[in-house]
Amino acid sequence: MMKVLVPYDFSQTADYALNFATGLSENYSGIEITVLHIIETPVATGMGTMGGGLDSVPEFENQIYFIELIERRKKQLKEIDEKFKDSAVTLKTKLVLGSVFKGITESIAEQSPDLIVMGSKGASGLEEVIVGSNTEKVVRTATCPVVTIKAETDVKKMKKIVFASDFRESDEKVANRIKRIQTVFDAQFYFVVVNTPGNFETTRESMNRIRTFVQKHHFENIKAEVYNSLSEESGIIEFADDIDADLIAMTTHGRTGLIHLITGSIAEDVVNHSKRPVWTYRVK
């Protein structure tokens, strides 16, 4: 049984993510999907929270709206339950009150999913540098792989997958995760190293590391590539564009705090800027 968590906010990108998750069941039997919707709890402010005064009127209206929103979301989630009740997809819905990121994090801890599928609009400018999206935060902290979706994606048509890495680390868990993707998708895999001016090495060195990784973990049906670009992020996206890839896969070290602000994350940059689905897995 593979457990899939789909954080869902009723947006178009969330629908893309849900369609992707349900589509996985056509390629991989034994998938259980949890559709998680989180309603942000309003923060009470002003003297009206103590009762009396003019401030109590808008506060009361906010409470009424919040109650109505809960009931509306319950009804919408029930419609999703009904839609898949008699299908081959094993699906359940869950409603949580609180902050979005905290709710997702707690659900990950409680359910231990094998995969998270999230819709993403990406982030740019000041938002990307300082705040980041909830999707980006989940990519950075989740203990299981995360697939981010920005457009409608037909699982059955995913035939080219790029795994971008420097292949300096030979983690058995990472190798097993990549093999699971191979199990789910009958696709051609491209193992690629991006060569940049600031981190230059010969093609021979890069290819040798890829071959060592492939041989150690007994991969099959792999194409090894070295791609030259001005940065790792742009190189990964450009290579995926050049071969018309259906999915980009990569690992992230999930740095947080000051070190994240200073160094950033190639994986998060790709998640933000790639138009293609991106599979990420946090390694220690």
Side-chain angles (χ1 to χ4, degrees), residues 72-88:
R72 184 163 67 251
R73 293 309 192 207
K74 284 181 177 178
K75 181 179 179 181
Q76 290 173 309
L77 289 175
K78 186 175 181 180
E79 290 173 355
I80 294 176
D81 282 323
E82 290 295 322
K83 178 180 178 180
F84 292 97
K85 183 176 65 174
D86 298 321
S87 72

Side-chain angles (χ1 to χ4, degrees), residues 165-175 209 212-217 219:
S165 174
D166 61 11
F167 297 93
R168 295 184 188 279
E169 299 175 357
S170 187
D171 192 319
E172 189 74 30
K173 287 184 178 180
V174 172
R209 282 205 312 280
T212 298
F213 184 84
V214 168
Q215 291 169 3
K216 178 178 179 180
H217 300 291
F219 280 99

Side-chain angles (χ1 to χ4, degrees), residues 231-272:
S231 72
E232 288 90 344
E233 174 217 327
S234 61
I236 293 166
I237 294 173
E238 289 163 3
F239 178 74
D241 287 343
D242 287 352
I243 69 166
D244 195 22
D246 300 299
L247 177 75
I248 297 171
M250 43 191 318
T251 59
T252 176
H253 287 85
R255 298 182 180 93
T256 58
L258 182 61
I259 188 67
H260 174 261
L261 290 177
I262 295 173
T263 64
S265 165
I266 297 171
E268 290 169 34
D269 287 343
V270 173
V271 166
N272 276 328

Side-chain angles (χ1 to χ4, degrees), residues 14-70:
D15 285 333
Y16 295 152
L18 179 57
N19 292 341
F20 182 89
T22 55
L24 290 174
S25 63
E26 298 183 24
N27 287 25
Y28 190 93
S29 60
I31 290 182
E32 179 184 272
I33 300 170
T34 299
V35 178
L36 172 67
H37 178 65
I38 301 165
I39 299 179
E40 291 271 8
T41 306
V43 179
T45 58
M47 293 298 291
T49 58
M50 302 297 292
L54 293 177
D55 286 343
S56 64
V57 176
E59 181 63 32
F60 175 74
E61 291 176 349
N62 287 338
Q63 291 175 0
I64 293 297
Y65 171 79
F66 185 62
I67 293 171
E68 290 177 345
L69 177 62
I70 292 175

Side-chain angles (χ1 to χ4, degrees), residues 62-270:
N62 287 338
Q63 291 175 0
I64 293 297
Y65 171 79
F66 185 62
I67 293 171
E68 290 177 345
L69 177 62
I70 292 175
E71 293 305 313
R72 184 163 67 251
R73 293 309 192 207
K74 284 181 177 178
K75 181 179 179 181
Q76 290 173 309
L77 289 175
K78 186 175 181 180
E79 290 173 355
I80 294 176
D81 282 323
E82 290 295 322
K83 178 180 178 180
F84 292 97
K85 183 176 65 174
D86 298 321
S87 72
V89 178
T90 302
L91 181 146
K92 61 182 179 180
T93 59
K94 181 180 179 181
L95 178 65
V96 172
L97 305 182
S99 79
V100 172
F101 178 64
K102 183 179 179 182
I104 295 172
T105 302
E106 290 177 348
S107 292
I108 293 171
E110 291 169 5
Q111 300 177 32
S112 298
D114 300 294
L115 179 68
I116 299 168
V117 182
M118 294 186 70
S120 173
K121 296 178 180 178
S124 60
L126 192 62
E127 179 190 13
E128 180 180 2
V129 174
I130 297 178
V131 182
S133 65
N134 285 309
T135 304
E136 182 182 342
K137 294 174 185 175
V138 172
V139 166
R140 192 185 310 152
T141 60
T143 54
C144 65
V146 180
V147 173
T148 54
I149 304 290
K150 292 183 182 176
E152 193 67 68
T153 304
D154 188 344
V155 173
K156 297 189 294 297
K157 294 182 179 180
M158 301 191 77
K159 297 303 178 185
K160 293 180 181 179
I161 296 177
V162 173
F163 176 49
S165 174
D166 61 11
F167 297 93
R168 295 184 188 279
E169 299 175 357
S170 187
D171 192 319
E172 189 74 30
K173 287 184 178 180
V174 172
N176 289 337
R177 295 288 186 176
I178 297 300
K179 286 181 178 179
R180 173 168 275 195
I181 303 178
Q182 285 189 299
T183 301
V184 175
F185 305 107
D186 181 21
Q188 173 68 64
F189 262 72
Y190 295 77
F191 283 8
V192 62
V193 170
V194 175
N195 206 4
T196 65
N199 191 25
F200 177 81
E201 66 177 8
T202 66
T203 298
R204 177 178 291 183
E205 289 175 295
S206 298
M207 292 296 286
N208 282 340
R209 282 205 312 280
I210 298 175
R211 291 192 190 98
T212 298
F213 184 84
V214 168
Q215 291 169 3
K216 178 178 179 180
H217 300 291
H218 308 290
F219 280 99
E220 297 178 355
N221 193 28
I222 299 296
K223 288 187 177 181
E225 301 279 353
V226 176
Y227 193 85
N228 298 322
S229 187
L230 295 177
S231 72
E232 288 90 344
E233 174 217 327
S234 61
I236 293 166
I237 294 173
E238 289 163 3
F239 178 74
D241 287 343
D242 287 352
I243 69 166
D244 195 22
D246 300 299
L247 177 75
I248 297 171
M250 43 191 318
T251 59
T252 176
H253 287 85
R255 298 182 180 93
T256 58
L258 182 61
I259 188 67
H260 174 261
L261 290 177
I262 295 173
T263 64
S265 165
I266 297 171
E268 290 169 34
D269 287 343
V270 173

